[in-house]
Amino acid sequence: MSQERMASGNDSSVTEFILLGLTQQPELQLPLFLLFLGIYVVSAVGNLGLMVLIGLNPHLHTPMYYFLFNLSFTDLCYSSVITPQMLHGFVKQNIISYAECMAQLFFFAFFVIDECCILTSMAYDRYVAICKPLFYRITISPQVCLMLMVSGYVMGFVGAMAHTGSMLRLTFCDGNIINHYMCDIPPLLKLSCTSTSINELVVFIVVGIGIIVPSVAIIASYTLILSNILQIHSTKGRSKAFSTCSSHMIAVSLFFGSSASIYFKPSPVGSLDQNKVSTVFYTIVGPMMNPFIYSLRNKDVQVALNKTLNKRVFT
């Protein structure tokens, strides 16, 4: 069945969509396939490796690495929700069923919202560790860590249900070609021939809560952290305090910067080509970078890696 035939007509019961992918230029398909395949492999190995490393080393069983374990798990999951479908589009026409499209949208929204919550929890953890060190064990207890993570997963589920539920009510009758490499909200809204005002309101509310609230919490945490660090008289002490926060600040900037530029708009159906490029940063590049961001400058992780490798060599 030709692309034109599948995209034509005013059929209100669309059963499948065509994902146009990142680019339509044939000469770029193979290089991009190899590039993103490499990124996905590095991302999967890096996040799985970090999870295994944290699990095998008891001295990493602390709140900070508990959050980092969950961050790696979330990165691995939502990268796996997106990248394989994207890679498929580089080698052949990328057709996805309506049910698969809605499922991809649900899990993508679930893990992205969950990542926002985890990054916020990590900022709170750093605030307590630096500004309230004497109360750290009480404030960031195992029960509190568990509560924060469960709350993040619940918020992810509720937000994903809101996005997916409002999408299921739409009728698609203006074609079935999605100008994206995944079933994202803005390009799907552009295909609808019914009112999307409710969807845009859901996007504004859910993304507002998922971005504004965490952003305010993170900014407040780091404002207090910076104020506390500047009061440290020792240069070595200030340097150590900064080093414990720099990795998280880089990860937060990459994730929130790219995601906010796409969704936090009164109308989420703007420049789709620009959105595709921005989406790459937090759906594909971010999950690959986070294991390196949190391990290259982290002595605890480096020591744990050396110990684990030495055990494997001598056993």
CSV table of all heavy atoms in Angstrom, one decimal, residues 2 149 170 199 208 267-268:
chain,number,residue,atom,x,y,z
A,2,SER,N,0.6,2.1,-0.9
A,2,SER,CA,1.5,3.3,-1.0
A,2,SER,C,1.2,4.3,0.1
A,2,SER,O,0.2,4.3,0.8
A,2,SER,CB,1.2,4.0,-2.4
A,2,SER,OG,-0.1,4.6,-2.4
A,149,MET,N,10.3,8.0,45.6
A,149,MET,CA,10.3,7.3,44.3
A,149,MET,C,8.9,6.8,44.0
A,149,MET,O,8.5,6.9,42.8
A,149,MET,CB,11.3,6.1,44.4
A,149,MET,CG,12.8,6.5,44.4
A,149,MET,SD,13.2,7.4,42.9
A,149,MET,CE,13.1,9.1,43.5
A,170,LEU,N,-9.7,11.8,20.6
A,170,LEU,CA,-9.6,12.5,19.4
A,170,LEU,C,-10.0,11.7,18.2
A,170,LEU,O,-9.8,10.4,18.2
A,170,LEU,CB,-8.2,13.1,19.2
A,170,LEU,CG,-7.7,14.2,20.2
A,170,LEU,CD1,-6.3,14.6,19.9
A,170,LEU,CD2,-8.7,15.3,20.3
A,199,ASN,N,-6.9,18.8,25.1
A,199,ASN,CA,-5.5,18.2,25.1
A,199,ASN,C,-4.5,19.3,25.4
A,199,ASN,O,-3.6,19.0,26.1
A,199,ASN,CB,-5.2,17.6,23.7
A,199,ASN,CG,-6.2,16.4,23.4
A,199,ASN,OD1,-7.3,16.7,23.1
A,199,ASN,ND2,-5.7,15.2,23.4
A,208,GLY,N,3.1,21.8,33.0
A,208,GLY,CA,3.4,22.9,33.9
A,208,GLY,C,3.8,22.4,35.3
A,208,GLY,O,4.7,22.9,35.9
A,267,SER,N,0.3,26.9,22.8
A,267,SER,CA,-0.1,25.9,21.7
A,267,SER,C,1.0,25.0,21.4
A,267,SER,O,2.1,25.4,21.0
A,267,SER,CB,-0.5,26.7,20.4
A,267,SER,OG,-0.8,25.8,19.4
A,268,PRO,N,0.9,23.7,21.7
A,268,PRO,CA,2.0,22.7,21.5
A,268,PRO,C,2.1,22.2,20.1
A,268,PRO,O,2.7,21.2,19.9
A,268,PRO,CB,1.6,21.6,22.4
A,268,PRO,CG,0.1,21.6,22.4
A,268,PRO,CD,-0.3,23.0,22.2
